[in-house]
Amino acid sequence: MELQGRTALVTGFAGVIGSVIATSLANAGCDVIGVDKVKHDIVRMSIDEIKAESKRNVKYFQCDLINKEDIHKVFQDLKSGDVDILVNAAGRLSINKIEDLSDDVWDEDIGLNLTAPFVLIKLVIGLMKDKGWGRIINISSIMGIKATGSISSYIASKTGLIGLTRAVAVECADKGVTCNAICPTVVDTPFNTSFLEHLQTATGKSYEETKKAARQSHPTKQFTTPEQIADLVVFLCSPAGQNMTGTAIPIDGGVTIG
């Protein structure tokens, strides 16, 4: 319960990674504010489970994070100073060659993966500095460090998110506020199904063969799990992580070794 009394805002709350991060932070002592675009009824069971397990308070705001006005509406009901920890876990992945990628899809990918974190950071960072404590954690990707074909908007946004992380870290390094990026490889969740299906089409193999080959491409022969990402989030928020800032931390089974 190292984070007793802290409040964490987690975007992408309805997704597997966001939900697991929220659960781990609650179990570490945080009250949780979940933000996602789905209706409250869809996440009600997850909210109830987190409350029952952690005995912490959980609020939920439906919000289209691509829409800046929606984000500001959330903060009309929520005081920026209530947020001690911000985890930008919401994301989207579009697959298309550059010549086939529409301007609208590009704007939506950049909007959710990069602009929304910027807007949220902007809303909370001033009061974090004033309090002398804050943790900002952006869920980027190893695709922010390396690249592959047909996901240019995803790569651009996740690379930009690492740059934003570093810029924010520099600006608040002496204010008790840290900002770090976590860079997972393939995580076995529905979010990555479309990417594996794309690889399947490219190779002509079955989905299970493609998934196995993707796993075997990792030196550890393992995908990253949502729980491993959540544990790293909690570590970065704990006293042990207080002198880590501006880092892009791969959690990738060794993919970026070479």
Side-chain angles (χ1 to χ4, degrees):
M1 302 291 285
E2 293 177 322
L3 300 176
Q4 187 75 35
R6 303 292 188 188
T7 297
L9 188 153
V10 181
T11 70
F13 180 83
V16 175
I17 293 174
S19 177
V20 173
I21 289 172
T23 300
S24 294
L25 286 169
N27 288 339
C30 289
D31 291 331
V32 171
I33 301 163
V35 177
D36 212 313
K37 65 180 180 180
V38 304
K39 293 181 178 179
H40 185 274
D41 289 348
I42 295 175
V43 295
R44 186 183 301 278
M45 183 178 296
S46 180
I47 291 170
D48 290 345
E49 287 175 353
I50 294 172
K51 284 182 175 179
E53 181 178 346
S54 67
K55 312 302 182 187
R56 306 306 304 172
N57 185 40
V58 181
K59 296 179 181 178
Y60 178 75
F61 291 90
Q62 183 182 354
C63 173
D64 180 0
L65 289 162
I66 295 176
N67 187 328
K68 296 175 188 175
E69 291 182 0
D70 262 22
I71 298 175
H72 284 280
K73 285 178 182 176
V74 169
F75 278 84
Q76 288 175 2
D77 299 322
L78 177 70
K79 295 179 181 178
S80 300
D82 290 342
V83 179
D84 302 297
I85 297 163
L86 170 63
V87 183
N88 287 305
R92 53 177 280 150
L93 170 68
S94 300
I95 300 173
N96 252 320
K97 293 181 180 179
I98 291 177
E99 61 265 34
D100 298 324
L101 184 66
S102 73
D103 292 353
D104 288 344
V105 169
W106 170 273
D107 288 344
E108 289 171 0
D109 288 353
I110 299 296
L112 182 58
N113 295 344
L114 181 56
T115 304
F118 158 72
V119 174
L120 286 159
I121 290 168
K122 186 177 178 180
L123 286 167
V124 303
I125 193 169
L127 289 172
M128 284 182 176
K129 289 179 180 179
D130 289 345
K131 290 187 294 185
W133 197 96
R135 299 290 179 264
I136 299 168
I137 299 167
N138 298 315
I139 306 302
S140 181
S141 167
I142 61 162
M143 290 302 153
I145 299 172
K146 56 183 295 184
T148 189
S150 299
I151 53 171
S152 58
S153 54
Y154 184 76
I155 291 169
S157 60
K158 293 300 187 179
T159 302
L161 190 56
I162 292 173
L164 177 63
T165 297
R166 291 171 176 156
V168 171
V170 169
E171 289 194 18
C172 57
D174 62 346
K175 305 296 184 183
V177 180
T178 66
C179 185
N180 292 284
I182 295 175
C183 303
T185 183
V186 176
V187 184
D188 196 7
T189 67
F191 179 84
N192 281 290
T193 299
S194 60
F195 182 64
L196 291 173
E197 287 173 345
H198 166 70
L199 293 178
Q200 176 189 358
T201 301
T203 61
K205 297 179 180 180
S206 70
Y207 181 81
E208 286 305 318
E209 287 174 326
T210 303
K211 186 175 179 179
K212 181 178 179 180
R215 185 184 294 111
Q216 292 298 311
S217 71
H218 294 62
T220 62
K221 312 303 181 189
Q222 297 292 328
F223 290 146
T224 299
T225 69
E227 290 76 16
Q228 289 164 346
I229 296 170
D231 286 347
L232 182 51
V233 169
V234 173
F235 170 81
L236 290 171
C237 295
S238 74
Q242 67 183 4
N243 209 35
M244 291 181 65
T245 194
T247 59
I249 308 167
I251 180 166
D252 64 352
V255 169
T256 51
I257 288 172

